[in-house]
């Protein structure tokens, strides 16, 4: 059913019911969702494999990650303190008298989630955006990705089982398929939509953000879009272990045929013998990587277009490419290099080429390296490969990196995103549309809530989280002090 008017009316009706459920009841629904998806594993994984070309082992791991992150949000609800309850009790004796004010986070309303093509489970139908929105108390309308429409429908079927088993409103989660520019646009423009979650291309995310801001009442769009994840190599590290670093980085650049938003697309270093040696090793490692099919033909043709465009630029030199020519819809792993002076002059080198490609930027010295960093746009991640001495001597570079990205990594690869409370999978524009939030980890829930202050309400009228007796036993700030005790005890 793609009658958007009806879908959004259903979503609003569901929201008005679902938001009143206790945190325990919402947690039960999330546990049932994880269980139903787990039960459908044998059906889901082969379908996702057929639709996405991703290996079965990867998809099995991704499904486990998906159900684990749903359960993580259930546990967050059970613990309960995420609502950030703050209470300032009244003081009649103050001049003027101080009122009783109590604040907590409440769900925003129906949320529209656009599934991502590169994670058919973990960032799609029942992925992190959906799980965090459902945890917040918002109802969700999923716009399934056409590249894995069958997988999306089957995951939704499993979610429907959970809806029935937990006895939540039947339209708490809805699923629509169709073109982004018609169905997707109509969902974002609908006045009942209160927030949007998206992972995908810069053009797609930017278009959704523009629709949302054209509305009579603009709404937030949390779009995770484009990032080239610059990695800085200091000379000491390159001198110590160029061959093993090259192996590690070749694996990261080509992991999942480079179809990760945290793919290391830019390798930056000061020109040296150690850098030359590292690049020679990296080229040899890349030669050994076999081309593989990409997620869908659209991604494949945009990779080829982007790669050919960048390789046609003046001053670029190939470092290495797969020794095997690609077949149909297969990506051709490639690493190239360019001098920083040329990089700085040509914006083509700064754009994301989504796939198994990375560009090494060779700088004449530290000042030029800093110029390169200053010219880069916002990123999801940036990495520094350095000794302790390098870090101590290069605080200015680390500072530039910290300003640029949501996550800064020391002596590791950016691919691989831990799902936990401390994770930030976000970053300044164009990595995302709002650098204050993350789409991975428990704090992803903060995208779908707003603070509401209750002033002068009697205890019996307040939400559980704000009552004097603290029946949920959560941590709260009461008269400027953290406590999980009841008020008056
Ligand atoms: P996409 O083209 O941005 O599509 C993602 C979702 O947004 C789809 O449901 C799509 O609808 C919808 N959409 C796209 N443009 C829209 C518009 N103008 N208005 C409304 N809805 C719109 O992403 P993709 O298919 O996953 O991959 C395409 C490219 O995105 C890749 O080549 C790559 O460059 C980039 N990408 C980046 C990341 C990242 O994390 N940085 C991740 C994945 C992909 P349809 O069903 O109509 O297409």
């Amino acid at each position: 059913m793609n009658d958007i008017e009806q879908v959004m009316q259903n979503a609003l009706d569901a929201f008005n019911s679902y938001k009143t459920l206790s945190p325990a009841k919402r947690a039960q629904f999330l546990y049932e969702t994880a269980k139903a998806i787990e039960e459908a594993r044998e059906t889901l994984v082969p379908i996702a494999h057929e639709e996405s070309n991703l290996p079965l082992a990867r998809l099995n791991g991704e499904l486990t990650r998906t159900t684990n992150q749903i359960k993580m949000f259930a546990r967050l609800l059970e613990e309960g303190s995420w609502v950030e309850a703050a209470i300032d009790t009244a003081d009649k004796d103050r001049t003027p008298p101080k009122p009783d004010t109590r604040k907590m986070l409440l769900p925003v309303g129906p949320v529209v989630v656009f599934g991502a093509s590169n994670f058919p489970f973990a960032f799609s139908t029942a992925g992190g955006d959906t799980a965090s929105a459902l945890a917040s108390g918002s109802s969700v309308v999923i716009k399934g990705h056409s590249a894995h429409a069958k997988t999306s429908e089957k995951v939704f079927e499993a979610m429907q089982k959970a809806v029935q088993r937990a006895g939540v409103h039947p339209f708490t989660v809805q699923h629509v398929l169709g073109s982004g520019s018609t169905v997707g646009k109509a969902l974002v423009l609908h006045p009942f939509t209160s927030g949007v979650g998206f992972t995908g291309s810069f053009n797609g995310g930017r278009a959704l953000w523009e629709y949302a801001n054209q509305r009579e009442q603009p709404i937030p769009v949390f779009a995770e879009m484009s990032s080239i994840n610059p990695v800085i190599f200091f000379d000491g590290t390159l001198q110590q272990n160029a061959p093993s670093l090259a192996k590690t980085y070749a694996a990261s650049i080509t992991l999942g045929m480079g179809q990760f938003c945290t793919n290391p697309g830019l390798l930056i270093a000061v020109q040296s013998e150690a850098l030359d040696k590292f690049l020679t090793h990296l080229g040899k490692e890349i030669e050994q990587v076999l081309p593989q099919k990409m997620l869908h033909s659209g991604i494949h043709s945009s990779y080829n277009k982007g790669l050919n465009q960048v390789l046609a630029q003046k001053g670029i030199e190939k470092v290495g490419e797969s020794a095997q020519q690609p077949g149909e819809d297969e990506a051709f792993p490639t690493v190239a290099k360019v001098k920083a002076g040329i990089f700085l002059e040509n914006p083509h080198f700064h754009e994301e080429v989504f796939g198994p490609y990375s560009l090494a930027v060779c700088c004449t010295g530290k000042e030029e390296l800093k110029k390169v960093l200053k010219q880069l746009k916002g990123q999801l991640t940036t990495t520094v490969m350095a000794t302790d001495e390098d870090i101590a001597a290069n605080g200015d570079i680390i500072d530039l990196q910290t300003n640029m990205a949501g996550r800064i990594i020391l002596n590791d690869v950016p691919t691989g995103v831990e799902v936990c409370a401390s994770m930030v999978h976000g970053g300044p524009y164009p990595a995302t549309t709002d650098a204050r939030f993350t789409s991975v980890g428990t704090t992803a829930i903060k995208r779908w809530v707003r603070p509401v202050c209750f002033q002068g309400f009697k205890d019996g009228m307040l939400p559980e989280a704000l009552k004097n007796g603290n029946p949920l036993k959560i941590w709260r700030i009461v008269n400027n002090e953290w406590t999980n005790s009841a008020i008056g005890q």
Side-chain angles (χ1 to χ4, degrees):
M1 177 187 61
N2 273 358
D3 177 350
I4 298 305
E5 194 53 46
Q6 188 62 55
V7 167
M8 290 316 303
Q9 184 60 58
N10 293 345
L12 185 63
D13 293 345
F15 172 65
N16 285 328
S17 156
Y18 184 64
K19 72 175 180 182
T20 64
L21 301 181
S22 68
K25 183 76 187 162
R26 290 211 300 271
Q28 187 213 341
F29 170 49
L30 290 179
Y31 284 126
E32 291 289 1
T33 303
K35 191 171 147 219
I37 292 171
E38 195 54 64
E39 286 167 2
R41 180 186 287 270
E42 299 305 317
T43 312
L44 292 174
V45 169
I47 295 176
H49 172 63
E50 198 187 301
E51 288 191 312
S52 69
N53 299 316
L54 292 171
L56 291 170
R58 143 78 199 266
L59 288 165
N60 262 305
E62 192 187 319
L63 190 140
T64 304
R65 171 184 166 167
T66 307
T67 54
N68 279 343
Q69 68 194 9
I70 295 171
K71 289 186 267 186
M72 172 189 77
F73 282 111
R75 288 193 297 275
L76 186 77
L77 294 184
E78 286 172 333
E79 195 285 325
S81 307
W82 72 274
V83 297
E84 294 179 4
I87 297 173
D88 293 285
T89 52
D91 181 357
K92 286 192 197 108
D93 297 332
R94 198 190 71 173
T95 312
K98 181 169 172 281
D100 182 288
T101 51
R102 301 182 182 220
K103 181 204 80 171
M104 69 177 290
L105 300 176
L106 291 175
V108 284
V111 164
V112 173
V113 169
F114 287 77
S117 63
N118 57 341
F119 279 88
F121 296 128
F123 273 96
S124 193
T125 319
D129 287 347
T130 300
S132 55
L134 289 174
S136 77
S138 299
S139 57
V140 173
V141 178
I142 299 148
K143 165 21 195 129
H145 200 292
S146 32
H148 56 255
K150 267 196 325 210
T151 309
S152 195
E153 276 183 322
K154 289 284 170 199
V155 171
F156 178 64
E157 270 175 39
M159 297 179 87
Q160 286 304 98
K161 277 192 189 146
V163 164
Q164 279 165 16
R165 288 174 186 169
V168 299
H169 192 285
F171 295 118
T172 302
V173 195
Q174 297 178 88
H175 184 250
V176 295
L177 287 170
S179 139
S181 46
T182 52
V183 170
K185 181 176 180 182
L187 287 169
V188 177
L189 289 178
H190 197 282
F192 294 164
T193 302
S194 300
V196 177
F198 168 93
T199 299
S201 64
F202 172 76
N203 287 341
R206 177 75 204 199
L208 299 187
W209 184 88
E210 277 167 15
Y211 306 149
N213 284 284
Q214 281 159 17
R215 294 166 41 123
E216 193 183 334
Q217 182 198 353
I219 50 167
V221 172
F222 299 100
E224 190 224 298
M225 303 174 290
S226 164
S227 184
I228 52 175
N229 307 298
V231 183
I232 295 178
F233 292 86
F234 281 107
D235 210 52
T237 306
L238 289 175
Q239 279 176 21
Q240 277 169 14
N241 46 21
S244 81
L245 268 185
K247 204 180 247 319
T248 305
Y249 265 84
S252 177
I253 292 163
T254 57
L255 185 70
M257 277 294 99
Q259 298 165 113
F260 285 109
C261 36
T262 51
N263 194 55
L266 207 59
L267 314 174
I268 311 168
V270 172
Q271 189 58 59
S272 72
E273 257 181 53
L275 177 63
D276 288 342
K277 207 168 136 197
F278 167 70
L279 292 178
T280 305
H281 284 292
L282 184 61
K284 287 192 179 135
E285 293 290 343
I286 293 291
E287 279 172 23
Q288 292 173 39
V289 182
L290 298 179
Q292 279 169 29
K293 281 199 173 194
M294 296 191 84
L295 287 159
H296 59 80
S297 52
I299 286 209
H300 176 251
S301 61
S302 74
Y303 175 63
N304 276 352
K305 193 171 153 214
L307 186 64
N308 291 334
Q309 202 167 43
V310 80
L311 292 177
Q313 302 302 307
K314 245 187 171 168
I316 195 162
E317 263 180 76
K318 276 189 193 164
V319 167
E321 60 189 11
S322 174
Q324 186 170 308
Q325 282 301 309
E328 199 192 339
D329 280 349
E330 286 182 347
F332 194 38
T334 306
V335 171
K337 69 175 179 178
V338 68
K339 287 189 172 133
I342 297 171
F343 177 89
L344 287 165
E345 296 294 311
N346 187 343
H348 270 112
F349 292 125
H350 309 189
E351 298 305 321
E352 182 182 46
V353 179
F354 193 72
Y357 161 78
S358 192
L359 178 67
V361 181
C362 309
C363 309
T364 51
K366 183 173 167 180
E367 285 316 304
E368 195 172 45
L369 190 148
K370 281 166 65 178
K371 266 194 204 159
V372 168
L373 284 182
K374 282 181 191 164
Q375 222 186 55
L376 294 179
K377 298 175 191 165
Q379 306 289 337
L380 291 172
T381 75
T382 179
T383 303
V384 55
M385 304 299 291
T387 60
D388 291 2
E389 293 73 31
D390 290 328
I391 298 287
N394 291 288
D396 48 352
I397 289 182
I398 308 299
D399 193 45
L400 284 172
Q401 289 186 276
T402 311
N403 288 342
M404 172 202 296
R407 179 162 58 114
I408 174 162
I409 300 145
L410 175 62
N411 293 333
D412 205 340
V413 290
T415 38
V417 182
E418 202 54 42
V419 182
C420 55
S422 51
M423 181 47 61
V424 177
H425 191 64
Y429 187 89
T432 76
T433 43
D434 196 333
R436 294 168 299 169
F437 295 88
T438 172
S439 61
V440 174
T442 47
T443 45
I445 197 172
K446 298 283 166 69
R447 296 172 298 167
W448 318 119
V449 289
R450 63 193 179 88
V452 177
C453 174
F454 295 84
Q455 181 170 333
F457 276 61
K458 290 187 180 142
D459 198 53
M461 303 168 178
L462 286 164
E464 300 281 281
L466 300 178
K467 285 190 197 303
N468 285 337
N470 194 13
L472 300 177
K473 300 197 174 10
I474 58 176
W475 284 92
R476 315 188 288 188
I477 299 180
V478 178
N479 295 324
N480 300 316
E481 281 187 17
W482 281 106
T483 172
N484 62 355
S485 301
I487 293 172
Q489 277 185 351

